[in-house]
Amino acid sequence: MTKTSKTLKLIFKNDHHKVSTLSLPYASVNLTEAEVKEVMDTIAKENIFAKEGVGLYTEPQAAQYVERTINPIFTTAKSKHPIAPAIN
């Protein structure tokens, strides 16, 4: 059984002008450009995400949906791999 998922990727520059990506796997797939830009501007303005003193999402750069398709070849009944489908 093929499984497809979409993840919204928000791409920012951090305080050190390096790329930081925020991945949202459960975001609506019907968001408009204006809605996404507004949220990204708010995230940058609030500057609440940091790691080791570096603001992670300080300058919005881009946003995109990334689609992932999984085409299983086989799986065993005992498989506990998170992407393996349940076997009934």
Side-chain angles (χ1 to χ4, degrees):
M1 175 191 297
T2 299
K3 181 180 177 183
T4 302
S5 63
K6 283 189 180 181
T7 299
L8 176 60
K9 301 257 183 190
L10 306 179
I11 303 162
F12 295 84
K13 282 191 178 175
N14 66 20
D15 281 342
H16 291 162
H17 305 287
K18 294 185 179 182
V19 174
S20 289
T21 303
L22 182 59
S23 298
L24 305 170
Y26 300 106
S28 171
V29 295
N30 299 316
L31 297 172
T32 66
E33 179 181 346
E35 291 170 323
V36 174
K37 281 183 175 181
E38 181 180 353
V39 168
M40 291 180 75
D41 288 341
T42 300
I43 290 169
K45 180 179 143 203
E46 296 297 325
N47 198 22
I48 59 172
F49 297 98
K51 183 176 181 179
E52 298 174 4
V54 177
L56 296 177
Y57 311 117
T58 58
E59 188 181 334
Q61 298 295 300
Q64 58 195 9
Y65 286 107
V66 176
E67 191 167 320
R68 179 177 173 208
T69 303
I70 300 169
N71 295 303
I73 297 170
F74 81 93
T75 185
T76 65
K78 295 178 183 178
S79 177
K80 294 191 183 208
H81 196 279
I83 62 170
I87 298 175
N88 295 335

